[in-house]
Amino acid sequence: PAIGGVGLIPDLSKRMDLALKGDGNLILVIGAEAGHLGQSLYQLIFTKKLEGAPPPVDLDAEVKAGNLVRNLIREGKVKAVHDVSDGGLLVAVAEMALAGKRGAQLYPFEGKLPAHAAWFGEDQGRYVLEATPELAEEILERARLMVLQARVIGRVGGDNLTLRGEDALPLEKLRAIHQSWLPDYMSHGA
């Protein structure tokens, strides 16, 4: 199924896109992280199967997160916003980096989940935000007051997507892979 949404933006000067914008800005994630890999792209790529339950949906948490993000946009407190969906958190950040032509240094995940589940889990109701360092703590505190999980996951800058302990992925190489997959798929499928 496909779902579309239509809405009115009262002030077009306050609309938001996903492109990373400023070196030194922080990258935050808002929303519960449970590392759901059932029915995910990660599962499909590594097992060639789609099994298990998809992530559960908590409509109350989704509304809270959506309202917070919308208010932050209207108040001009974020520079970029992207939802976490197919592929999980790492894919969302990569899409933001490609759109903004700016790299990102991601901090290692230090929670209880396995790192691969934290980076590729397709948990519902999560958003990635770019904010200046001066506003990041306010955003985290506002999320906490709404009983929403939130944390800083990295910093904008450079020409690579980097995660400590892994090889840096140059944006130029990532862009080439991103732009060539459909032509490559079509030529091999014919």
Side-chain angles (χ1 to χ4, degrees):
I3 299 172
V6 177
L8 297 176
I9 300 174
D11 182 350
L12 288 179
S13 70
K14 294 183 179 177
R15 70 183 184 271
M16 189 58 51
D17 64 21
L18 62 94
L20 293 178
K21 294 178 181 64
D23 290 349
N25 285 343
L26 296 178
I27 303 169
L28 300 86
V29 63
I30 290 177
E33 294 180 294
H36 287 283
L37 295 171
Q39 301 293 321
S40 69
L41 284 178
Y42 182 89
Q43 182 189 59
L44 180 63
I45 289 168
F46 283 98
T47 69
K48 306 290 188 243
K49 298 176 186 174
L50 284 174
E51 298 179 330
V57 176
D58 179 340
L59 291 178
D60 291 334
E62 295 242 9
V63 169
K64 283 195 299 189
N67 285 339
L68 174 59
V69 170
R70 185 178 63 241
N71 288 333
L72 292 168
I73 292 169
R74 287 181 178 166
E75 295 165 14
K77 296 197 173 183
V78 291
K79 302 292 183 185
V81 175
H82 192 26
D83 66 311
V84 177
S85 58
D86 290 346
L89 184 56
L90 192 56
V91 171
V93 173
E95 290 171 347
M96 295 172 81
L98 286 174
K101 300 180 177 130
R102 293 181 187 275
Q105 293 82 46
L106 300 173
Y107 305 147
F109 179 73
E110 296 178 353
K112 293 180 182 178
L113 294 173
H116 70 281
W119 289 115
F120 296 104
E122 295 179 5
D123 303 311
Q124 299 294 299
R126 292 194 308 162
Y127 297 89
V128 180
L129 315 173
E130 175 190 0
T132 63
E134 299 79 26
L135 291 173
E137 190 55 43
E138 176 188 338
I139 292 168
L140 294 173
E141 182 60 23
R142 285 174 69 175
R144 286 184 197 114
L145 288 171
M146 297 179 75
V147 194
L148 291 168
Q149 289 181 24
R151 66 184 176 95
V152 176
I153 61 167
R155 184 175 296 274
V156 178
D159 297 322
N160 302 308
L161 194 57
T162 61
L163 178 61
R164 189 179 303 150
E166 301 294 334
D167 293 337
L169 179 58
L171 288 184
E172 183 177 308
K173 182 176 181 180
L174 184 59
R175 181 169 283 105
I177 293 166
H178 179 71
Q179 292 175 345
S180 68
W181 82 266
L182 183 59
D184 288 351
Y185 177 79
M186 296 303 286
S187 68
H188 290 110

